[in-house]
Amino acid sequence: QQLKERSGVMTGFRGFTHLSVSPLSLSPHCWLLSFKSPLKPVSKLPSGLLVASLENYSPVSKIGVFVKAGSRYETAENLGVTHILRLASNLTTKGASAFRICRGLEAVGASLSVTSSREHMVYSLDCPRDDFEGTMEYLINVTTAPDFKPWELSDLLPRVKIDKAVADQSPQIGVLEKLHEAAYKNALSNSLYCPDHMVGKISVDHLQQFFANNYTSARMALVGLGVSHAAVMKVGEQFFSTHTGAGAPGAVYRGGELRVQSGGGLVHALLACEGAAAGSAEANAFSVLQRLLGVGPHVKRGSNITSKLSQGIAKATAQPFDVSATAFSATYSDSGLFGVYVISQADSAREVINAAMAQVTAVAEGSLTAEDLTRAKTQLMADYLMSLESSEGLLEELGVQVLSSGTYSSPQTVTQSIDAVASSDVVKAAKKFVESKKTMSCYGHLANTPFVDEL
Amino acid sequence: MASRAPAATSRLMVGFRKWYYNACGFNKFGLMRDDTINEDTDVKEAIRRLPEQVYNDRMFRLKRALDLSMKQQILPKDQWTKYEEDVHYLEPYLEEVMCERKEKEEWAKK
């Protein structure tokens, strides 16, 4: 789950008159040109910064700075600092004032956006290829030298409250945050949003300390799409902080339960167990299991025939609407979560959750046809490849891979490793879910919702 | 009200500046130079940005001065603000505000 903040959204149309024509687009013989793989190997600068680039010949360059500064690195004293940092990304820096950043980006038609997840903070800048040099200084200023001015920070307070109010309105976000809070003892249990008791209390010192500890070159990766590797390397040399910053504790899974009683006729329940860390073979098995169980209709307004969960639940309860179940999977660098997310009517919650569990248990007992397995694998591969189609998805994938493992595996490698998942791996994953200590978070009218130990 | 002396601090000028500071007379109310500055929009914004402690001190000095002025009194001589103690606390904030405004005006011209 991620939160996006579009700061300085200036995708105005002024910039388009300055676009240069992309070198390959007009030539009728372009298919004759030999197309070597445009991905250069990942370089590591002396300051520890990892630099990667992919030349896709697009007229728009996209640069991302990925920092290991997600909410898992918050400590008990500064909970919520990442939320403020995300909102503070367009504020005055040592090299440029907030006004100048905004107008400067606007003048070329660029846009800067910040996304934060539990592990990473991503600053991504889109700009026309020709104006790359000019706009990079803004990105460098924002990520290496923000000047936390107290009056600008106090102006952020309404925005924090709006963010939290929007999140409160959505039961999905609430259930997800509560699940992480219940599942982990530290690190990953920190919420993406600023907790109530810290709203207004995050000071300049908190921000500066968090910044100094986490925004060091060794914890950053600079990824460029549609730029030459040399240009990105030159930008990377501006990130020269050499101090290493504080380490972070590993996430410890504990398994627990959090229930939030609220009104309304629905119950949102999320039941999970500890899954696998990102990049491991087990993680692939969990992803395939997730697709097997069903992740929502592939055809709009369809009846979701391929989803085992949906079919199982349809038999358990006669209420066709407001009932849905999808498998849920989240992976982080050292841990993961896998489970089932169920939305049901309040009085049939017990039957629905039990039916969902029964489906997973069925898989764990081995009732898994080869056809189901191939279908799940194909769906997973297709989803993965389709996510790489957009430049945003590609940048994110590139950056997260480079930052966590220092290298980038091509889509072919990833699809091959998905293909290598055997049905025994999937059965093992399902067994792990059935047997391990589960975590549950529910939200809604909970009179008829079972507790995690009753399942 | 209080005119700004040139920035160069030569030894010849210090004596003159001290004399001028005392001749201005606001130090007899316990005020500092920046307390007496005319509040236009830039100055108002700079005052808004002051840290809380500095702002509270300013308010206290202003209140005390208004009270004395109403009673047609001044402070005893040992409580007058000395030239050496006078801190130009508002100057950095004011400069920043003015730079920002100029930047906005530059952009608006384009």
Side-chain angles (χ1 to χ4, degrees):
Chain A
Q1 184 201 4
Q2 292 180 327
L3 284 168
K4 259 193 150 50
E5 180 67 39
R6 270 238 109 105
S7 68
V9 175
M10 293 119 219
T11 46
F13 291 99
R14 276 181 268 173
F16 279 98
T17 52
H18 304 296
L19 287 178
S20 64
V21 175
S22 118
L24 290 181
S25 60
L26 296 184
S27 160
H29 302 294
C30 61
W31 60 273
L32 289 175
L33 293 168
S34 65
F35 215 65
K36 279 191 258 176
S37 162
L39 176 67
K40 293 283 187 322
V42 177
S43 344
K44 188 166 172 159
L45 293 177
S47 58
L49 181 74
L50 291 159
V51 179
S53 73
L54 181 73
E55 180 63 272
N56 58 4
Y57 300 105
S58 117
V60 173
S61 304
K62 208 174 167 76
I63 318 296
V65 177
F66 291 75
V67 191
K68 278 186 187 161
S71 63
R72 70 178 291 168
Y73 299 104
E74 289 174 2
T75 63
E77 286 84 33
N78 62 9
L79 289 176
V81 71
T82 44
H83 189 181
I84 310 290
L85 261 177
R86 183 177 73 242
L87 293 173
S89 56
N90 70 332
L91 298 182
T92 306
T93 64
K94 293 194 174 72
S97 71
F99 176 78
R100 170 132 174 262
I101 294 177
C102 179
R103 291 302 173 98
L105 289 174
E106 205 176 47
V108 293
S111 106
L112 172 69
S113 78
V114 185
T115 310
S116 79
S117 71
R118 296 201 138 80
E119 304 231 276
H120 306 294
M121 209 58 147
V122 183
Y123 295 83
S124 87
L125 179 67
D126 302 7
C127 62
R129 188 181 266 262
D130 294 339
D131 296 312
F132 173 68
E133 257 98 58
T135 46
M136 280 321 289
E137 65 154 306
Y138 299 120
L139 185 61
I140 293 168
N141 271 319
V142 166
T143 45
T144 56
D147 211 6
F148 300 113
K149 303 268 186 212
W151 56 90
E152 283 180 342
L153 288 172
S154 50
D155 290 342
L156 282 182
L157 204 52
R159 286 168 74 185
V160 175
K161 292 190 176 151
I162 290 176
D163 262 357
K164 283 174 67 76
V166 168
D168 280 340
Q169 298 279 357
S170 155
Q172 285 87 350
I173 296 180
V175 143
L176 212 48
E177 294 291 313
K178 293 267 174 316
L179 181 79
H180 283 90
E181 207 181 308
Y184 290 99
K185 287 187 186 172
N186 60 356
L188 288 171
S189 69
N190 293 335
S191 166
L192 286 171
Y193 295 90
C194 189
D196 287 332
H197 65 95
M198 291 300 283
V199 173
K201 303 222 176 49
I202 299 278
S203 70
V204 175
D205 290 327
H206 287 136
L207 288 163
Q208 273 171 349
Q209 212 182 34
F210 185 82
F211 192 82
N213 283 336
N214 292 290
Y215 280 64
T216 60
S217 306
R219 294 162 69 112
M220 291 205 220
L222 181 62
V223 181
L225 281 183
V227 277
S228 68
H229 199 71
V232 187
M233 292 280 275
K234 204 160 75 129
V235 170
E237 274 144 30
Q238 314 262 1
F239 292 80
F240 46 68
S241 71
T242 45
H243 57 106
T244 43
V252 179
Y253 179 82
R254 69 172 169 100
E257 183 172 14
L258 268 178
R259 299 161 71 90
V260 177
Q261 174 75 33
S262 73
L266 294 178
V267 168
H268 293 250
L270 188 46
L271 181 64
C273 73
E274 191 176 16
S280 64
E282 224 192 329
N284 283 333
F286 273 111
S287 296
V288 174
L289 178 59
Q290 182 194 11
R291 289 297 188 293
L292 191 68
L293 290 171
V295 286
H298 290 274
V299 176
K300 277 190 195 150
R301 293 176 273 283
S303 61
N304 213 354
I305 299 182
T306 59
S307 159
K308 280 187 184 296
L309 284 175
S310 288
Q311 297 306 307
I313 286 165
K315 294 189 191 93
T317 164
Q319 290 161 333
F321 300 115
D322 293 333
V323 171
S324 83
T326 55
F328 160 79
S329 163
T331 50
Y332 304 105
S333 57
D334 56 355
S335 176
L337 289 172
F338 174 82
V340 176
Y341 178 30
V342 178
I343 308 178
S344 63
Q345 299 273 2
D347 41 356
S348 59
R350 187 175 294 271
E351 289 82 31
V352 173
I353 295 178
N354 282 325
M357 275 295 296
Q359 286 294 320
V360 189
T361 323
V363 177
E365 282 158 12
S367 75
L368 165 65
T369 68
E371 194 189 275
D372 286 338
L373 184 65
T374 19
R375 191 195 316 124
K377 282 203 269 196
T378 329
Q379 280 176 354
L380 181 58
M381 284 194 270
D383 274 348
Y384 177 74
L385 290 172
M386 282 195 250
S387 77
L388 296 181
E389 298 259 300
S390 82
S391 59
E392 270 179 23
L394 182 55
L395 184 76
E396 191 189 316
E397 179 65 21
L398 206 49
V400 169
Q401 278 199 25
V402 165
L403 195 54
S404 5
S405 64
T407 56
Y408 174 61
S409 358
S410 69
Q412 285 90 333
T413 326
V414 176
T415 42
Q416 272 167 12
S417 63
I418 294 175
D419 222 3
V421 171
S423 74
S424 55
D425 297 323
V426 176
V427 167
K428 208 164 69 156
K431 265 208 188 67
K432 190 170 177 202
F433 177 73
V434 172
E435 286 160 12
S436 63
K437 182 155 194 242
K438 296 195 212 7
T439 311
M440 178 146 146
S441 78
C442 13
Y443 183 97
H445 190 65
L446 301 175
N448 196 22
T449 313
F451 287 84
V452 73
D453 46 3
E454 292 168 11
L455 287 169
Chain B
M1 206 189 107
S3 70
R4 286 171 175 69
T9 337
S10 66
R11 291 224 311 265
L12 307 166
M13 292 297 289
V14 170
F16 173 74
R17 288 159 109 215
K18 267 180 145 170
W19 170 83
Y20 185 80
Y21 184 81
N22 287 314
C24 279
F26 55 76
N27 61 338
K28 296 179 182 136
F29 284 127
L31 290 169
M32 293 195 188
R33 184 199 76 164
D34 282 344
D35 295 339
T36 60
I37 197 168
N38 181 33
E39 279 194 28
D40 64 6
T41 30
D42 283 344
V43 174
K44 283 204 175 87
E45 173 65 24
I47 290 168
R48 188 185 78 94
R49 295 182 179 189
L50 286 174
E52 200 181 331
Q53 188 56 32
V54 180
Y55 179 77
N56 290 342
D57 288 343
R58 175 194 161 91
M59 281 297 124
F60 168 74
R61 285 193 299 274
L62 286 173
K63 276 196 170 159
R64 183 178 59 183
L66 285 168
D67 178 70
L68 289 168
S69 144
M70 172 194 65
K71 293 188 282 199
Q72 300 284 344
Q73 287 172 4
I74 53 174
L75 289 174
K77 184 135 191 233
D78 54 333
Q79 287 182 24
W80 293 0
T81 319
K82 299 194 187 41
Y83 177 75
E84 293 80 18
E85 286 170 5
D86 189 312
V87 176
H88 299 174
Y89 60 84
L90 196 62
E91 209 169 302
Y93 298 97
L94 188 57
E95 259 185 52
E96 219 179 306
V97 171
M98 282 171 33
C99 276
E100 284 178 16
R101 179 172 53 86
K102 284 201 179 73
E103 201 180 12
K104 288 196 171 91
E105 283 166 8
E106 285 288 322
W107 273 95
K109 277 189 217 162
K110 286 190 190 173

